[in-house]
Amino acid sequence: MSYVKIECNEAGRVPPGTLQPEQGKKDERMAIYEIEEDEWLRLARIGNGKDALLFSSPFCGTCKVAERMLDIVQAAEVPTTMYKININYAPKLREAWKITSVPCLVLVKDGEPQRFEYAMRSVDYLYKLLKEEE
C-alpha cells in the first residue's frame, strides 16, 4: 500500500496540519492520506472538488481488503484524492453522516457527502464508481 511517510511527535501522533496533500511527501503514485477528524473538518480542499473518505477500523480485516482495493484503483490514476479515517476517533463525522459500519467509502463533492458505499464489491466496481464521479 502507498501511504505518505511523515514524522510523528514524541507521543507517536501526527502533528496537526501535516497531512495536507500539498505538504506531504508522496511516492510516485497517489497515496491514501491517513487523516484525523479535526484535520478533515479544517481541510482547505473541502469545497474545492471531490474527495473520497474511507472510514475503517484497525482491527477490521474487510477494511484492510478495501484499502488494498483502493490502492489498486489509485494506481490506475483515478483523479480523486483519497483519505482514510479511523471511525473510532471520528465521532462528529460518524454521527453527522450516520456511518453504520466499516468499511464505508464516502464520496464527497464540494464538502458534502454524495454517496456512501459499504460494499467494496471489486476493484473494477470501485474504479467505475470513482470514474463516474468525475
Side-chain angles (χ1 to χ4, degrees), residues 1-5 24-31 71:
M1 298 195 153
S2 60
Y3 291 97
V4 175
K5 182 173 176 139
K25 293 181 181 177
K26 293 188 201 178
D27 59 9
E28 294 157 18
R29 303 178 292 165
M30 295 286 291
D71 196 41

Side-chain angles (χ1 to χ4, degrees), residues 5-18:
K5 182 173 176 139
I6 56 173
E7 299 294 321
C8 294
N9 62 19
E10 302 82 40
R13 307 273 307 166
V14 175
T18 59

Side-chain angles (χ1 to χ4, degrees), residues 4 6 15-26 33 39:
V4 175
I6 56 173
T18 59
L19 289 176
Q20 294 183 13
E22 49 280 353
Q23 293 177 345
K25 293 181 181 177
K26 293 188 201 178
Y33 295 96
E39 277 193 298

Side-chain angles (χ1 to χ4, degrees), residues 24-101:
K25 293 181 181 177
K26 293 188 201 178
D27 59 9
E28 294 157 18
R29 303 178 292 165
M30 295 286 291
I32 298 174
Y33 295 96
E34 192 163 347
I35 193 165
E36 293 183 9
E37 183 178 57
D38 60 338
E39 277 193 298
W40 173 263
L41 295 171
R42 290 191 321 262
L43 192 61
R45 279 186 56 81
I46 296 176
N48 296 325
K50 62 186 178 106
D51 299 300
L53 180 61
L54 177 67
F55 283 85
S56 65
S57 175
F59 300 110
C60 168
T62 309
C63 297
K64 301 279 188 238
V65 173
E67 287 176 47
R68 180 67 185 130
M69 291 167 69
L70 288 171
D71 196 41
I72 294 167
V73 168
Q74 238 179 5
E77 300 181 5
V78 174
T80 301
T81 305
M82 293 192 209
Y83 299 90
K84 178 178 95 163
I85 193 165
N86 185 336
I87 194 165
N88 298 315
Y89 299 110
K92 293 175 190 167
L93 288 172
R94 183 178 62 224
E95 292 297 318
W97 293 353
K98 297 178 176 51
I99 305 297
T100 58
S101 67

